[in-house]
Amino acid sequence: MEFSEYLFGGIYLSACRFANIERFASYVTDFMGSDARADSASEAARILQEAAGRLDSAAESVLSTEEDAERRLIARDLRLVAESELERVDDFASVEERLDHFGPQVQSVLVDLGLDVRDAPLRIVDVFPEPFHRFGWSAFAPDLEDEENFDIPRGVYFRRDKLRPFYSEALFAHEVVHTVTGRIDPDIFAMGLEEGIAEILGTCYAGSSILSEEVLGNILVHGRHGVERPKLWSVYLNHTRQASLLYDRFGLEGLAELIRRGRKAIHDAEHAVLTGQVEQLDLPRGKTDPKTSRVLDFACRGYLSTHVFSPLECLLLLSVRKGLTVERICADAGVDLTVGAPLLERLGAESALFVQDGDRIAYSNMERYLHAEEESVAAIIRYLPR
């Protein structure tokens, strides 16, 4: 296993507090060196704990800069990753082997839903075939038209350097849904609602047959609720919200029927969603799936993606409690009082998470959010790595 595979696998198994997965992974890779290796989950955990210790070597010191606060928060996240069930990454020798094992199971779930995704072989490549070689995607499913115009054999393509435990299995489940519409009317551009339907039928429904709700929740939080990430990922989230509206009305069967009808029907359905005419859609009504519904309720409706702060702000907020003084909060957070006091005053006015009366916290909602985190799969109060 590459060390990065243990890192990403642990991220999807943990309630890490960072709000941008690429920045976090880049920071860790730069700090540890791109040649970091681990022969087992236990070795990876040891290396992660050592890295956390080096990052936060002055744990008792008082912090005064964003850089020092960032190191402390990243160290905390690395410890969470190290303490996760990393041995689940060792269940297979590689991510490619994971995909070979779980791919047929995912396809079987979708075939049972009436989607013929059997003719979608997995293809792992170093570079996507032209003219798609310019794109930085992790995976894609070429259409029948791509096969005819560019001589690209059908299948689901993964870039080797983008493979990640758990995430790649969920992504295969998403991409394989596109292979159906890609055969029906490949001349029509996908995107739009089709992405949301593929997220529900593929990632959430078929994905739930092989992945836990915890892992799926983290995949969606880091993939769809990240901050200062490419706009495309928030577009995917919004289309998943559109599709969840149809899922609530028509169930799995209604979404599957749209896939079977093809992209024109899907674009027409998106028009109905955008114009408030959902009830006029002529779609069959079928059952929902409890696990899929819980994942969607969390990722599309329940999760708060807006409480993201700078590292220093985040450290201070995590120590805010009703009745505490500014001096006590700064001491508990390990932040210099001369730096923390003005930050807290501004945070109280801007975040609406607490009200400061003089040098004391009069009201606070921080306790409620931190209590909710204890039972959630993901952190609610997050920091943005620089």
Side-chain angles (χ1 to χ4, degrees):
M1 280 285 183
E2 296 288 335
F3 180 78
S4 63
E5 293 172 4
Y6 287 109
L7 176 63
F8 281 110
I11 285 171
Y12 297 126
L13 292 166
S14 309
C16 292
R17 202 171 287 284
F18 60 80
N20 185 302
I21 189 170
E22 285 86 6
R23 290 191 193 180
F24 177 79
S26 177
Y27 186 107
V28 174
T29 300
D30 289 346
F31 179 76
M32 299 183 66
S34 58
D35 59 344
R37 293 287 184 276
D39 295 328
S40 65
S42 58
E43 177 71 2
R46 182 188 65 77
I47 293 171
L48 287 164
Q49 290 283 14
E50 288 180 356
R54 296 201 311 274
L55 273 169
D56 200 16
S57 57
E60 303 303 319
S61 65
V62 177
L63 307 179
S64 60
T65 68
E66 294 287 2
E67 180 181 4
D68 288 340
E70 181 180 56
R71 289 169 67 92
R72 182 158 296 176
L73 287 167
I74 287 176
R76 291 183 183 181
D77 279 341
L78 285 181
R79 291 187 178 103
L80 285 177
V81 172
E83 293 163 7
S84 68
E85 298 177 84
L86 285 178
E87 61 273 12
R88 289 169 60 182
V89 178
D90 277 343
D91 288 344
F92 296 89
S94 66
V95 178
E96 184 171 350
E97 188 176 304
R98 297 181 71 93
L99 287 167
D100 286 337
H101 178 82
F102 289 118
Q105 185 174 338
V106 164
Q107 288 168 302
S108 177
V109 170
L110 293 169
V111 167
D112 288 345
L113 201 57
L115 302 179
D116 188 1
V117 296
R118 290 169 295 186
D119 188 15
L122 172 68
R123 303 183 188 277
I124 297 176
V125 297
D126 294 317
V127 180
F128 288 144
E130 296 186 17
F132 301 99
H133 61 293
R134 300 180 182 87
F135 293 99
W137 305 325
S138 297
F140 88 111
D143 296 335
L144 179 61
E145 193 172 51
D146 297 323
E147 186 173 31
E148 294 171 351
N149 291 343
F150 309 118
D151 198 26
I152 301 175
R154 67 186 62 188
V156 176
Y157 287 73
F158 275 81
R159 265 181 48 175
R160 196 178 308 278
D161 62 335
K162 300 277 189 176
L163 293 174
R164 300 175 184 174
F166 311 123
Y167 170 80
S168 292
E169 293 106 275
L171 184 55
F172 177 79
H174 174 109
E175 291 297 332
V176 79
V177 174
H178 290 303
T179 64
V180 179
T181 52
R183 293 193 305 268
I184 297 169
D185 42 10
D187 55 309
I188 299 177
F189 189 45
M191 270 303 294
L193 180 62
E194 183 177 335
E195 296 296 347
I197 297 175
E199 197 80 328
I200 293 178
L201 296 183
T203 305
C204 297
Y205 178 63
S208 68
S209 69
I210 59 172
L211 298 169
S212 68
E213 291 180 43
E214 172 195 29
V215 168
L216 284 172
N218 270 304
I219 286 171
L220 292 170
V221 165
H222 292 305
R224 304 294 179 245
H225 289 284
V227 176
E228 293 188 10
R229 300 184 72 238
K231 184 178 181 180
L232 182 63
W233 306 131
S234 60
V235 170
Y236 272 53
L237 174 61
N238 286 330
H239 286 308
T240 305
R241 286 174 172 149
Q242 283 185 322
S244 72
L245 173 60
L246 298 178
Y247 171 77
D248 289 343
R249 297 289 198 283
F250 304 104
L252 295 168
E253 178 56 32
L255 295 185
E257 177 61 20
L258 277 175
I259 293 294
R260 289 192 291 266
R261 291 180 186 178
R263 287 178 178 156
K264 182 183 184 306
I266 293 171
H267 285 307
D268 289 344
E270 183 175 353
H271 177 83
V273 172
L274 290 169
T275 57
Q277 301 178 71
V278 172
E279 298 300 336
Q280 297 180 28
L281 287 171
D282 180 20
L283 290 172
R285 294 178 185 267
K287 66 178 182 178
T288 57
D289 170 68
K291 188 172 178 179
T292 300
S293 296
R294 287 193 298 270
V295 171
L296 285 174
D297 285 346
F298 170 74
C300 291
R301 304 176 182 113
Y303 185 71
L304 290 168
S305 59
T306 53
H307 292 319
V308 178
F309 304 91
S310 77
L312 267 175
E313 291 171 338
C314 185
L315 272 181
L316 288 166
L317 278 173
L318 295 178
S319 293
V320 167
R321 301 291 185 277
K322 180 181 178 180
L324 294 187
T325 64
V326 169
E327 183 176 5
R328 170 67 184 279
I329 292 168
C330 289
D332 288 349
V335 175
D336 185 276
L337 180 62
T338 61
V339 174
L343 262 183
L344 274 172
E345 187 169 349
R346 178 171 59 78
L347 269 175
E350 293 180 355
S351 71
L353 289 171
F354 65 91
V355 175
Q356 185 174 329
D357 179 22
D359 70 341
R360 192 174 296 272
I361 304 302
Y363 307 101
S364 169
N365 277 328
M366 278 303 303
E367 297 90 331
R368 299 179 186 277
Y369 286 123
L370 295 179
H371 177 64
E373 284 188 356
E374 294 172 5
E375 299 180 35
S376 176
V377 302
I380 298 167
I381 306 299
R382 300 185 294 167
Y383 68 95
L384 184 63
R386 293 170 299 142

